[in-house]
Amino acid sequence: RKAVKRLSYRPQSIVLTLVFINVVVFLFTSMVRFPLPDSVTGRIIASGNILLIQAINTYGLSITLFSLFPVMIKNSGWVWQFLTYMFMHGSLLHLFFNMYALYLFGKPLEERWGNINFLFFYLFTGVGAGVVTYFWNLWRNPYIPTVGASGAIFGVILAFGLEFPDTLLLLFFFIPVRARYAVFIFGGIEIAMILTGTMQRIGHFTHLAGILFGYIYYLIWIKKILRFRRSKKFPAIKGIGRFEIRRRKRILERSEEIIEKLLRGEKLRMKDEDMLNFLRESFLTSKTLCNSEDFIPDSELCLKCDDFYSCLYRYIIERSGRYLTR
């Protein structure tokens, strides 16, 4: 009896999968039109739901069914729209900028967190932004549908700034700014546009809600995951033995490689970033350190010291001339 091999699909990249889904949905909804059969129209009219007919005639069937349409959610209970609106886009330009930002900022996060953790973060942020947008538009104008992944994208940008704060970005393609400040700039722009009523067709409140929910999820779940992984990769020291000394020497060798890369301005690998984060946490939690000039990395005395990792981090930033702050 031959065993039947089950076909299974495991995406190598959630980011690329999300980009692919968004592109396919946009092409499908843009190129394929579904006319509403007369029989269905007659039933809707008979039920007295004239609003639904008007919405379909104005926005089309796909936008009416799958965008974030407050009046439809309230009257008909279409709660799936809190999820599906993220995969709908109003124009090719709208789709391009959202997917470009998703790939640019999302790929490094996925590599660091893992694809499942990134997917949950993305969906939580997008759905949370959708819920806030629903209540905002229900009060302001419940007859306007909202589409786009912008809420989730702004959450991704926030997380990128928290994970890679010193990365240099080109704001508006020509203004250099570090990632940690980019989120504040984007958030400030959104608040200013809400207060001034500028570009009202853009979901500024959705963008701010995405930043908020992204930060909430990051604090509640992502930071715990990262802390757990680093504790596994660099476990707490229980006595300084010969095996710990060997490990510290290996970390010291990697540190010299990192210093050379920083001096040459090269991009660090994920495992280098993880090691720097571990050393930085040790440095920030250390209460007493000796003078930096007293630190001799390969000396037996320093290798056996409890503050070795803290001093090593200070040694790296002093040697490389790059201050990796919180």
Side-chain angles (χ1 to χ4, degrees):
R1 205 175 185 183
K2 291 184 178 180
V4 179
K5 186 178 180 181
R6 292 185 178 181
L7 295 176
S8 60
Y9 172 69
R10 291 187 178 182
Q12 297 297 318
S13 171
I14 287 295
V15 169
L16 293 179
T17 303
L18 289 170
V19 171
F20 176 77
I21 293 173
N22 277 274
V23 171
V24 169
V25 169
F26 176 77
L27 293 175
F28 185 77
T29 55
S30 300
M31 299 172 64
V32 181
R33 298 292 178 182
F34 293 98
L36 203 61
D38 294 336
S39 59
V40 176
T41 304
R43 290 177 186 175
I44 296 174
I45 294 175
S47 67
N49 196 351
I50 306 298
L51 180 62
L52 179 57
I53 298 294
Q54 293 175 341
I56 294 174
N57 291 334
T58 304
Y59 300 107
L61 183 60
S62 58
I63 294 294
T64 303
L65 288 177
F66 301 114
S67 68
L68 186 64
F69 217 144
V71 68
M72 296 302 171
I73 296 175
K74 180 182 178 182
N75 294 346
S76 304
W78 293 355
V79 293
W80 64 80
Q81 293 187 350
F82 289 119
L83 175 66
T84 56
Y85 88 100
M86 300 165 54
F87 300 94
M88 309 288 293
H89 288 84
S91 67
L92 183 60
L93 201 62
H94 186 201
L95 173 73
F96 171 77
F97 280 112
N98 273 350
M99 294 304 100
Y100 176 72
L102 174 59
Y103 181 79
L104 185 67
F105 300 109
K107 204 67 174 70
L109 294 175
E110 181 187 18
E111 291 177 2
R112 172 164 290 188
W113 299 347
N115 51 15
I116 298 301
N117 292 321
F118 178 81
L119 178 62
F120 284 148
F121 173 86
Y122 183 83
L123 295 179
F124 177 86
T125 305
V127 171
V131 171
V132 172
T133 303
Y134 165 74
F135 286 107
W136 172 259
N137 286 347
L138 194 64
W139 166 73
R140 193 177 60 130
N141 189 344
Y143 302 101
I144 297 179
T146 300
V147 295
S150 300
I153 298 300
F154 269 74
V156 169
I157 295 174
L158 167 77
F160 184 88
L162 294 172
E163 287 292 286
F164 308 97
D166 293 309
T167 302
L168 200 63
L169 304 176
L170 290 178
L171 193 64
F172 306 119
F173 299 104
F174 65 91
I175 303 176
V177 61
R178 295 202 180 275
R180 72 178 69 204
Y181 304 122
V183 179
F184 294 103
I185 295 173
F186 287 136
I189 291 173
E190 297 300 321
I191 293 174
M193 287 187 174
I194 290 174
L195 296 176
T196 59
T198 307
M199 302 177 71
Q200 295 186 8
R201 295 189 64 182
I202 297 177
H204 304 299
F205 215 81
T206 307
H207 300 169
L208 290 175
I211 293 175
L212 173 64
F213 277 87
Y215 189 61
I216 291 172
Y217 193 88
Y218 183 86
L219 289 180
I220 293 176
W221 187 245
I222 297 296
K223 285 196 72 174
K224 290 183 179 179
I225 294 173
L226 296 177
R227 193 178 298 116
F228 174 76
R229 285 182 177 177
R230 286 165 190 161
S231 66
K232 288 290 185 181
K233 190 174 292 185
F234 302 98
I237 300 168
K238 297 180 180 178
I240 307 298
R242 57 178 181 174
F243 295 108
E244 173 60 27
I245 294 295
R246 289 178 184 174
R247 189 181 66 165
R248 291 187 175 193
K249 288 181 178 179
R250 289 195 300 269
I251 292 176
L252 181 59
E253 291 176 1
R254 284 179 58 190
S255 299
E256 293 294 340
E257 294 176 4
I258 290 175
I259 291 171
E260 292 299 321
K261 287 183 180 180
L262 292 175
L263 289 173
R264 292 195 298 264
E266 296 180 5
K267 185 178 180 181
L268 298 180
R269 295 174 294 179
M270 289 298 168
K271 63 179 182 180
D272 296 330
E273 293 278 4
D274 287 337
M275 195 185 85
L276 279 178
N277 288 331
F278 163 72
L279 296 176
R280 177 172 58 184
E281 288 178 6
S282 300
F283 177 78
L284 293 174
T285 54
S286 181
K287 295 181 180 179
T288 56
L289 288 177
C290 61
N291 295 326
S292 59
E293 56 267 19
D294 296 331
F295 178 64
I296 304 174
D298 54 355
S299 69
E300 200 70 19
L301 186 63
C302 288
L303 284 170
K304 291 183 177 180
C305 178
D306 290 336
D307 290 323
F308 172 78
Y309 292 129
S310 303
C311 290
L312 182 58
Y313 178 78
R314 183 178 60 184
Y315 173 78
I316 291 173
I317 62 175
E318 288 179 351
R319 281 280 310 278
S320 64
R322 175 182 173 184
Y323 288 84
L324 307 169
T325 56
R326 203 182 321 211

